Amino acid sequence: MAVKNLLKGWSAARAPDGPKAAPAADDAARRLALFEDIERASTGWFWATDREGHLSYISPGAAQRFGIDVAALLGKPVAALFETDPDDQAERSGRPLQFILGAHARLADVTVRLIPALAGEGAPPAWWALSGQARLDAAGAFSGYRGSARDITTEYERQTQDSRAAEYDSLTGLANRHRIVRRLDQVLAAYRQTGQPCALVLLDLDRFKAVNDTLGHQAGDELLRQVGARLTKVVGKRGEIGRLGGDEFQIVLPGIDDRGKLGELADRIIGALSLPYELAGDRAVIGASLGMAIAPFDGGDRDDLTRAADLALYAAKHGGRGVFRFYSADLRDEKDERRQLEDDVRAAVASLFEGGDCPQLDLRYQPVVRLSDHRVMGFEALLRWERPDCGEISPEMFVPVAEDIGLIGLLGGWVLRRACADAAAWPLDVRVAVNVSAVQFADPAFPAEVADVLESTGLAPERLELELTEAVFMGDSHSTDAAFKALKALGVRLTLDDFGTGFSSLSYLRSAPFDKLKVDRSFVETCTLQDQNSARIIAAIIGLADALGMETTVEGVEAFDQRDVVCARGAKQIQGFLYSAPLGQQAILDRIGAQTEPGAPLLIEPSGPDRHRPERRSVYRRVGLIHQDHRYNVLMRNLSATGALLEGIIGVPEGTGVVLDLGGGQLAVCTVSRSQDAEIAVEFETALVSDGARGLVTRHRASPAALAAAARIPRVSTPQFLEVETRKPR
Ligand code: C2E
Ligand code: MG
Ligand code: MG
């Protein structure tokens, strides 16, 4: 019936009354039958609206396809019933349906769907290609739409899948390289006009390869999926995440230049990705390194910005991993320095095996002393490197390099053999502790190497302590457990070093057979502070170890007040400068030889300052001090997050507002809090934030364009203060 009405109007519109009225009636009947066939076969549907754009007809089959009653649709504005594909619109800037209908324009295969809230419950998604034309009445006024529709759901879904595959990473569901790169281009282009910032983060997983190699690709894929999910959770709506391939990710964060906030976000990302992963029955732990660069400060276009973020990532990976770094201009030099360092480490390790007279690397032994009677219980072997033309370099700096260039096995093996041989030569029954890198520990051949060294040096296994850090739990749990078992079977002792600085997960303590915990030096450094937080943590760690039947050593005790605090908090063994710095093998033999009673235990009396003085971070850097429109050159002597000490300017009254130019667009607004002779102390209005590598940076920076504009402003007034020659750095 309804179709008849529809066709009545339709044929009337096409075949106006005229002499051929009778054949037209036959024609109309034939058409009616044809239309009804089409509707029944569901190959096409028809629809019409009145002059207000309200739906006046829709094929019943179409309504059924939506799981909805025809009556529920009739009389409603078409624009309120259907919508175009929102993604499609955003991508191809197609016009919304409402717009087309409002303009009475022709609809030619417009992809629409019933507004999801209207579709019947459980109705499958249905997409239509909607066509139609506006009808005009005799007076030329719009009298409604009339048109047809086709179900294109299958076609549409296949197309969307294809375009998803072209844009998204099938493994993690994150944007793929193609999409994220385009997104960065889009954001940078849009923001260039308005001068808004945009941060780019490059992220690389640490030790992903180890998990992939040991647990297999399926576990590796699952791990990447979980990484993607964790990243999405932390980053949220702040930006878009893409996977560039392998274990590399990129995050585009439009509108952010606050390095404080970025640093916090980076810390949260590192924290989230470093939590253990459950992979089909296996447990794995990995880490993440992040490099960050911000447009327009570090680069204006995609290439420059990506290069900057890449350099920062490189620095993060080589700065100990599990950290973030911001780009800064000196990273370019750092890359060259790093290459030089790698070459020098290679030469140093080679010097151990070349049989020359003076290898560049050597071992020192630092005594571990029992507090109650000052008796030496053991020595920790510590590597020393005399780098040609540079002096002594910290093992904290070169051990990670040796790990990266694949030489740690060789170097660590040498340390183990040498320390065991030296200890076997001590005429005392004390232990020797050897630091073992996580990379060295992960080598399945390591336990056999330990067995071999014990046998060839003749050292009793219970005299050897292997110091491991929580990094050994990185990677998969099976091989870690197997290594623990094999080492325990040899009878050596296992120590967990630097406890309290990493994950400090209690589950490790339960599952791994440690004999001792070493309380990290950082707690001792702050244990005499008023708030007593570090002192309490030391007490808690010692209590925990006691409860688990483990020994403890407290590291880094330098002064008597620290000794008193840790002693009151339950420490029984101490290692620190208060008792002794690390000693050479000859010095140890001499000390033992000087004992009045041969074979008697070795005792060391403490000696050192009464009180611990916290180290101030000294810097010697030329910086600019801006007051009104003058820039003075001053020497920065020290810097903290809240202020700085400057030298080289006379006559600045306390309370003066100045701007400190720390370079690279870093301008810190500050107030002079103290002024004496040529030295002034300033306090920052906004505290500086960490650069991820023990340095400090301003949260925001002035853009290169603003700096260039400022440089063009002519100086008008005469300087108010006197710039003076500074003394040579102390
Ligand atoms: P660690 O194992 O925690 O070693 C203790 C570090 O604290 C040593 O630094 C030691 O010299 C220092 N120390 C001891 N007492 C005090 C003190 O009272 N005050 C201060 N400020 N420091 C104190 P060192 O020798 O520079 O070694 C640093 C780190 O390098 C070691 O930390 C260890 O993780 C690593 N390392 C050293 N030798 C080796 C090695 O042969 N193999 C491996 N894999 N790592 C090593
Ligand atoms: Mg150690
Ligand atoms: Mg330690």
Side-chain angles (χ1 to χ4, degrees):
M1 183 62 193
V3 178
K4 261 184 217 152
N5 288 339
L6 175 76
L7 281 174
K8 209 159 75 197
W10 204 304
S11 45
R14 290 180 182 196
D17 291 345
K20 288 188 183 156
D26 280 356
D27 211 22
R30 267 202 310 279
R31 259 188 232 157
L32 171 62
L34 189 64
F35 273 49
E36 278 177 340
D37 279 351
I38 293 173
E39 278 199 327
R40 249 196 311 275
S42 278
T43 40
W45 297 308
F46 305 106
W47 62 282
T49 73
D50 59 18
R51 66 181 71 241
E52 272 77 45
H54 294 174
L55 195 71
S56 57
Y57 176 78
I58 184 154
S59 301
Q64 259 167 28
R65 177 77 176 82
F66 293 131
I68 194 172
D69 195 25
V70 176
L73 301 176
L74 292 180
K76 303 245 166 64
V78 173
L81 295 173
F82 299 98
E83 63 180 12
T84 41
D85 177 359
D87 288 343
D88 204 39
Q89 246 183 61
E91 289 288 315
R92 295 184 219 146
S93 62
R95 294 184 299 166
L97 187 59
Q98 194 173 12
F99 196 81
I100 307 175
L101 293 170
H104 300 162
R106 209 167 83 88
L107 290 165
D109 276 346
V110 177
T111 306
V112 299
R113 66 169 165 184
L114 188 71
I115 287 176
L118 297 174
E121 204 162 309
W127 288 94
W128 285 7
L130 201 66
S131 297
Q133 240 171 343
R135 285 185 60 235
L136 305 178
D137 63 16
F142 172 72
S143 66
Y145 263 99
R146 195 157 290 158
S148 61
R150 276 184 306 125
D151 184 347
I152 53 157
T153 310
T154 322
E155 224 173 300
Y156 176 84
E157 283 180 348
R158 198 185 44 239
Q159 245 175 35
T160 338
Q161 260 169 21
D162 288 352
S163 67
R164 261 200 87 73
E167 295 268 315
Y168 292 91
D169 169 39
S170 58
L171 187 64
T172 58
L174 300 172
N176 62 15
R177 177 187 284 274
H178 165 74
R179 183 183 168 92
I180 195 79
V181 159
R182 205 182 35 168
R183 180 90 182 101
L184 180 61
D185 276 343
Q186 277 170 354
V187 174
L188 290 178
Y191 281 25
R192 207 167 294 135
Q193 318 286 335
T194 54
Q196 282 192 74
C198 170
L200 175 68
V201 181
L202 290 180
L203 186 156
D204 198 297
L205 302 180
D206 301 332
R207 297 183 207 279
F208 169 72
K209 201 178 161 301
V211 174
N212 216 25
D213 291 350
T214 51
L215 295 183
H217 288 281
Q218 256 177 356
D221 284 357
E222 175 55 26
L223 180 66
L224 289 173
R225 257 192 293 273
Q226 292 187 27
V227 165
R230 291 185 191 184
L231 276 177
T232 309
K233 200 161 164 208
V234 178
V235 175
K237 292 205 163 67
R238 266 178 286 231
E240 180 153 1
I241 311 163
R243 176 165 165 248
L244 300 178
D247 61 347
E248 280 175 51
F249 297 80
Q250 173 171 318
I251 309 170
V252 178
L253 299 159
I256 302 187
D257 76 329
D258 182 331
R259 288 188 284 186
K261 283 198 185 134
L262 279 171
E264 285 162 18
L265 180 68
D267 273 337
R268 278 214 301 283
I269 291 177
I270 293 170
L273 298 187
S274 306
L275 293 172
Y277 295 79
E278 291 299 329
L279 306 169
D282 283 309
R283 190 197 61 210
V285 181
I286 55 160
S289 303
L290 273 71
M292 299 191 272
I294 305 165
F297 315 99
D298 304 326
D301 63 20
R302 191 222 307 163
D303 284 347
D304 285 350
L305 197 63
T306 309
R307 215 170 295 130
D310 210 35
L311 268 173
L313 175 63
Y314 182 89
K317 283 194 92 69
H318 294 125
R321 297 212 172 104
V323 295
F324 68 83
R325 283 295 290 271
F326 290 114
Y327 168 78
S328 83
D330 18 291
L331 289 188
R332 286 176 204 284
D333 302 334
E334 247 178 62
K335 199 161 180 170
D336 293 339
E337 279 169 24
R338 163 82 191 188
R339 270 202 206 104
Q340 188 59 51
L341 182 61
E342 287 179 4
D343 286 347
D344 290 357
V345 170
R346 270 190 204 99
V349 174
S351 77
L352 292 174
F353 299 94
E354 277 161 358
D357 288 342
C358 43
Q360 295 175 29
L361 289 153
D362 198 6
L363 284 185
R364 297 276 184 283
Y365 300 94
Q366 189 178 28
V368 178
V369 181
R370 188 158 69 190
L371 258 173
S372 58
D373 56 1
H374 303 165
R375 177 181 173 155
V376 175
M377 308 298 289
F379 292 90
E380 176 178 11
L382 294 161
L383 259 173
R384 290 293 171 262
W385 178 30
E386 193 67 33
R387 184 181 179 189
D389 307 325
C390 291
E392 201 167 89
I393 304 282
S394 163
E396 264 161 328
M397 194 169 164
F398 68 82
V399 166
V401 176
E403 288 176 348
D404 284 349
I405 59 178
L407 288 181
I408 193 64
L410 218 51
L411 178 58
W414 176 83
V415 170
L416 183 69
R417 199 166 288 273
R418 176 65 200 281
C420 290
D422 283 353
W426 301 333
L428 281 180
D429 190 20
V430 294
R431 295 180 195 142
V432 63
V434 176
N435 291 287
V436 177
S437 137
V439 179
Q440 196 184 349
F441 181 83
D443 181 350
F446 179 66
E449 185 177 15
V450 175
D452 180 50
V453 167
L454 288 172
E455 198 184 321
S456 62
T457 58
L459 187 76
E462 63 278 8
R463 284 185 63 197
L464 176 61
E465 273 179 349
L466 299 177
E467 292 199 2
L468 309 168
T469 60
E470 281 170 316
V472 297
F473 296 105
M474 292 260 193
D476 76 293
S477 51
H478 280 322
S479 28
T480 320
D481 291 347
F484 277 131
K485 247 203 189 119
L487 290 170
K488 278 317 302 177
L490 290 177
V492 300
R493 294 167 52 89
L494 300 176
T495 300
L496 185 54
D497 203 352
D498 304 340
F499 190 75
T501 54
F503 319 108
S504 303
S505 161
L506 299 184
S507 66
Y508 296 149
L509 292 185
R510 199 183 47 196
S511 61
F514 288 114
D515 302 286
K516 184 190 253 189
L517 288 187
K518 285 187 104 169
V519 180
D520 191 66
R521 195 165 83 212
S522 57
F523 298 112
V524 178
E525 211 173 298
T526 44
C527 75
T528 50
L529 293 183
Q530 205 103 60
D531 69 9
Q532 296 193 15
N533 281 345
S534 297
R536 290 194 189 109
I537 292 175
I538 293 173
I541 297 176
I542 294 174
L544 181 70
D546 280 349
L548 293 169
M550 298 177 190
E551 283 181 17
T552 42
T553 296
V554 178
E555 287 186 295
V557 177
E558 295 180 356
F560 282 98
D561 59 345
Q562 290 177 322
R563 186 204 57 176
D564 294 343
V565 170
V566 301
C567 181
R569 296 291 178 167
K572 291 178 194 68
Q573 292 182 27
I574 277 186
Q575 181 181 345
F577 297 161
L578 183 67
Y579 282 96
S580 172
L583 306 166
Q585 170 75 349
Q586 195 51 52
I588 294 180
L589 293 174
D590 290 348
R591 278 200 185 204
I592 300 171
Q595 298 261 88
T596 43
E597 239 180 275
L602 184 62
L603 304 179
I604 298 185
E605 289 299 319
S607 95
D610 288 339
R611 291 165 64 84
H612 172 69
R613 298 241 168 273
E615 194 191 352
R616 284 173 100 186
R617 195 180 301 176
S618 305
V619 284
Y620 297 107
R621 224 169 95 195
R622 290 256 158 224
V623 294
L625 184 82
I626 302 164
H627 178 253
Q628 293 177 349
D629 56 7
H630 277 279
R631 188 177 197 284
Y632 304 86
N633 271 317
V634 293
L635 182 73
M636 182 160 70
R637 282 217 173 272
N638 70 39
L639 177 71
S640 74
T642 53
L645 186 67
L646 310 166
E647 196 178 290
I649 187 163
I650 294 182
V652 193
E654 284 171 14
T656 308
V658 291
V659 173
L660 200 60
D661 180 356
L662 295 167
Q666 304 186 87
L667 301 177
V669 178
C670 41
T671 310
V672 175
S673 57
R674 195 164 48 74
S675 176
Q676 200 178 18
D677 303 332
E679 214 170 67
I680 63 170
V682 294
E683 272 171 23
F684 301 132
E685 194 177 275
T686 310
L688 303 187
V689 294
S690 163
D691 70 347
R694 298 190 200 167
L696 293 164
V697 291
T698 56
R699 278 180 176 266
H700 303 280
R701 281 173 287 174
S703 78
L707 284 180
R712 284 195 295 273
I713 299 173
R715 293 183 168 195
V716 284
S717 66
T718 46
Q720 289 189 11
F721 313 128
L722 187 62
E723 204 175 276
V724 293
E725 184 81 14
T726 44
R727 284 168 284 154
K728 284 258 172 293
R730 283 176 281 225

